[in-house]
């Protein structure tokens, strides 16, 4: 009899594989979407490889190529931890096919470990892109022996397991704690927010520890910092020693610790697995219920309210869509309290930047948080098999799309407005500039909403087994994120550059007109898509 974990894992991979859709579906539209998704993912991987290779070239040209193995290990480990933590709730707990899987004659820990391995395999292309690119860069400058290539490739598959297990265990603890409260999903979401914010702050705490040791602020200090970081995370040092010094003891340590942690953690998770999922799927009813007059809402507001309830009912949805709205005002408040100049000097170590130079970039800096993920990107796909209900209602698609867009505007604009004002006060921005930056920030939120709807409708995916597939891994998400991720960073640099040569009010005015035009064009496109 085949291993039960292998059978479950095989079926999960086949049911969600784009290649499988392309190979077997007879629907040309679905096949084209699958092909488009594959091409989009390949482009993302290629861009990631180019970035990592460029980083290695910088190390090599500055005589720091010896720091690449540790840097590779730390990068893969960080990505593995962050991505796994955000996906744990959707994959390990509260997933859609839970009732079906648990009705099979399979132990709970087997199901949990299978879902973990599924996450691991789905993330392998990301890890491989980073590892292969950095191996190419390292090999070009270091000219290592054949054994280095073999150990590097093999250990790259082992390296992500430990941080993934750690992230899954933290996700398990959060889920376990939240089951003791009536509002389970809300408590779980709050705990997730707190943990992520702690991780963000931890980066600066560690960085300050290094600075207290008077680590240089030049390129040479990068090697010292990564070596110091490896002391806090031994697996990165084991990986480096294994590939550079061919230390088989470090190879065994990395493999053995990964295997032991995997067995130990999922033995613990398996004991509470059924209880946690049952609590997350159940809802507490109030003991007393008083009939009150129902509030009247417009159709669009009713759809927006429905979207709000959908978001608050899903930890995965709320954390991924709402994280930016939490981080933006926190960042602005920190700048207000400690001074924008001080925060800039902490983030851009040694860079000749001042708060006055950075002022034109304020709306784009905050948009990097708030606009990085819009609810409209995934909300059409999240309707799933219930989409036919919306289509059967006496409501046209235009109204449905407007309602979904309205929710994202309600969600983002207040946070953007408050954050811009606080950051402008912290940067001592003139009043007129503050007003212009606020208007630009609001327009950026509207653009994010409409562009997200274009992506969400154009690449809608109604057949899914786990909401993570459309919240984090859908084609719509990738297409939305790509321009936001790179264009926004480019715009920040551009506005800072222009700010040294042009009046700041003029820069804001130009971008207000450009953003308004883009909003109008994308809105017209959404309305055209609604007619199809």
């Amino acid at each position: 009899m085949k291993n039960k974990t292998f059978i479950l894992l095989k079926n999960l991979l086949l049911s969600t594989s784009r290649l499988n859709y392309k190979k077997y579906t007879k629907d040309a539209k679905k096949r084209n979407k699958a092909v488009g998704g594959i091409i989009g993912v390949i482009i993302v991987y290629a861009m990631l490889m180019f970035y990592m290779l460029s980083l290695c070239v910088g190390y090599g040209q500055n005589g720091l190529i010896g720091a690449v193995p540790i840097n590779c290990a730390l990068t893969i480990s960080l990505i593995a931890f962050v991505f796994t933590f955000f996906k744990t709730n959707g994959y390990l707990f509260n997933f859609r096919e839970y009732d079906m899987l648990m009705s099979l004659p399979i132990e709970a820990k087997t199901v949990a470990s299978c879902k973990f391995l599924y996450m691991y395999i789905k993330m392998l292309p990301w890890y491989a892109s980073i590892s292969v690119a950095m191996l190419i860069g390292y090999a070009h400058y270091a000219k290592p022996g054949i054994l280095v290539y073999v150990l590097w490739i093999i250990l790259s598959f082992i390296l992500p397991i430990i941080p993934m297990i750690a992230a899954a265990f933290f996700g398990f603890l959060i889920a376990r704690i939240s089951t003791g409260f009536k509002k389970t999903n809300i408590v779980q979401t709050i705990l997730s927010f707190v943990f992520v914010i702690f991780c963000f702050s931890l980066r600066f705490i560690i960085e300050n520890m290094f600075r207290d040791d008077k680590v240089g602020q030049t390129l040479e200090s990068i090697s010292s910092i990564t070596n110091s970081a490896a002391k806090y995370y031994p697996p990165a040092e084991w990986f480096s020693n294994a590939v550079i010094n061919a230390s088989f003891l470090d190879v065994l340590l990395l493999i053995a610790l990964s295997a032991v942690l995997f067995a130990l953690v999922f033995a613990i998770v398996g004991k509470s697995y059924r209880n946690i999922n049952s609590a997350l799927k159940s809802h507490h009813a109030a003991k007393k219920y008083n009939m009150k007059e129902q509030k009247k809402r417009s159709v669009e507001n009713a759809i927006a309210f429905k979207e709000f309830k959908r978001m608050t009912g899903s930890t995965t949805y709320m954390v991924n869509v709402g994280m930016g709205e939490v981080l933006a005002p926190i960042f602005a408040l920190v700048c207000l309290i400690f001074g924008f100049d001080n925060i800039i000097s902490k983030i851009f170590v040694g860079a000749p930047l001042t708060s006055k130079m950075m002022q034109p970039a304020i709306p784009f800096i905050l948009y990097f948080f708030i606009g990085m993920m819009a609810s409209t990107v995934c909300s059409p796909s999240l309707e799933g098999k219930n989409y036919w209900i919306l289509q059967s209602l006496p409501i046209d698609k235009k109204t449905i799309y407007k309602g979904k867009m309205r929710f994202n505007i309600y969600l983002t604009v207040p946070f953007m407005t408050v954050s811009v004002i606080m950051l402008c006060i912290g940067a001592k921005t003139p009043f007129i500039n503050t007003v212009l930056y606020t208007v630009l920030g609001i327009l950026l939120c509207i653009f994010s909403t409409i562009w997200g709807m274009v992506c969400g409708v154009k690449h809608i995916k109604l057949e899914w087994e786990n909401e993570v597939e459309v919240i984090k891994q859908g084609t719509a998400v990738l297409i939305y994120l790509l321009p936001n991720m790179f264009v926004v960073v480019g715009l920040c640099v551009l506005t800072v550059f222009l700010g040294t040569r042009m009046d700041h009010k003029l820069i804001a005015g130009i971008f207000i007109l450009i953003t308004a035009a883009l909003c109008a064009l994308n809105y017209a496109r959404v309305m055209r898509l609604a007619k199809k």
Side-chain angles (χ1 to χ4, degrees), residues 65 199 391:
I65 199 64
C199 290
Q391 290 182 315

Side-chain angles (χ1 to χ4, degrees), residues 68-78 159 233 235-237 239-240:
V68 168
I70 284 182
N71 202 301
C72 176
L74 291 174
T75 302
I76 291 175
S77 299
L78 180 62
L159 193 60
Y233 185 66
E237 193 171 11
F239 176 85
S240 179

Side-chain angles (χ1 to χ4, degrees), residues 266-526:
F266 284 97
I268 296 171
V269 171
K271 293 181 179 179
S272 305
Y273 197 62
R274 292 179 183 274
N275 293 336
I276 292 173
N277 277 289
S278 297
L280 291 174
K281 285 183 169 292
S282 62
H283 301 278
H284 289 270
K287 293 181 179 179
K288 295 181 179 180
Y289 180 79
N290 297 321
M291 181 68 73
K292 296 180 180 179
E293 182 181 356
Q294 291 185 332
K295 295 180 180 179
K296 292 183 179 180
R297 293 187 178 94
S298 68
V299 176
E300 291 177 14
N301 278 336
I303 293 171
F305 182 73
K306 171 185 172 294
E307 199 63 36
F308 168 74
K309 297 297 289 185
R310 177 70 178 85
M311 188 183 77
T312 55
S314 169
T315 300
T316 305
Y317 190 8
M318 197 165 182
V319 170
N320 283 276
V321 173
M323 183 56 68
E325 281 72 12
V326 174
L327 292 177
I330 290 176
F331 174 76
L333 183 61
V334 169
C335 291
L336 179 62
I337 295 172
F338 297 101
F340 197 31
D341 276 317
N342 291 331
I343 300 302
I344 290 172
S345 64
K346 293 285 184 182
I347 297 175
F348 303 101
V349 181
L353 294 173
T354 64
S355 62
K356 188 174 181 180
M357 294 169 62
M358 293 292 293
Q359 284 177 12
I362 284 175
F364 297 106
I365 292 170
L366 294 172
Y367 179 74
F368 184 83
F369 293 108
I370 293 175
M372 199 48 61
M373 184 62 181
S375 65
T376 48
V377 180
C378 51
S379 63
S381 297
L382 282 173
E383 297 295 341
K385 295 177 181 178
N386 295 324
Y387 191 70
W388 67 269
I389 298 176
L390 282 177
Q391 290 182 315
S392 65
L393 294 173
I395 306 172
D396 58 8
K397 286 184 179 180
K398 289 183 180 180
T399 305
I400 294 172
Y401 296 163
K402 287 178 182 178
K404 288 181 176 293
M405 288 190 290
R406 184 172 291 194
F407 167 70
N408 195 71
I409 291 172
Y410 288 160
L411 178 67
T412 57
V413 168
F415 287 100
M416 175 63 83
T417 303
V418 171
S419 300
V420 168
I421 293 172
M422 285 197 295
L423 199 53
C424 285
I425 293 172
K428 299 178 181 178
T429 305
F431 177 75
I432 298 299
N433 294 36
T434 301
V435 173
L436 291 173
Y437 296 155
T438 304
V439 172
L440 179 55
I442 292 171
L443 283 173
L444 287 171
C445 290
I446 296 171
F447 167 75
S448 168
T449 300
I450 302 171
W451 169 241
M453 182 56 71
V454 171
C455 297
V457 174
K458 190 73 176 175
H459 303 280
I460 190 170
K461 181 180 179 181
L462 300 175
E463 296 179 6
W464 47 268
E465 292 300 326
N466 195 300
E467 62 183 15
V468 175
E469 294 173 27
V470 293
I471 294 174
K472 294 190 68 67
Q473 298 174 347
T475 305
V477 174
L478 288 175
I479 293 174
Y480 173 85
L481 283 175
L482 274 175
N484 267 14
M485 187 182 299
F486 296 101
V487 173
V488 172
V489 173
L491 287 173
C492 287
V493 176
L494 178 62
T495 50
V496 171
F497 172 76
L498 292 176
T500 60
R501 289 163 171 77
M502 296 171 59
D503 184 79
H504 291 183
K505 292 188 286 294
L506 180 60
I507 297 171
I510 291 170
F511 278 104
I512 284 172
L513 293 175
I514 294 172
T515 308
L518 290 173
C519 289
L521 290 172
N522 280 285
Y523 184 78
R525 192 177 180 189
V526 171

Side-chain angles (χ1 to χ4, degrees), residues 143-174:
K143 302 295 189 295
I146 298 297
L147 185 60
V148 171
Y149 292 89
V150 175
L151 289 175
W152 189 302
I153 292 171
I154 292 174
L155 293 181
S156 293
F157 287 96
I158 307 298
L159 193 60
I161 294 176
I162 294 175
M164 286 184 70
I165 291 172
F169 186 68
F170 280 117
F172 159 75
L173 290 178
I174 290 172

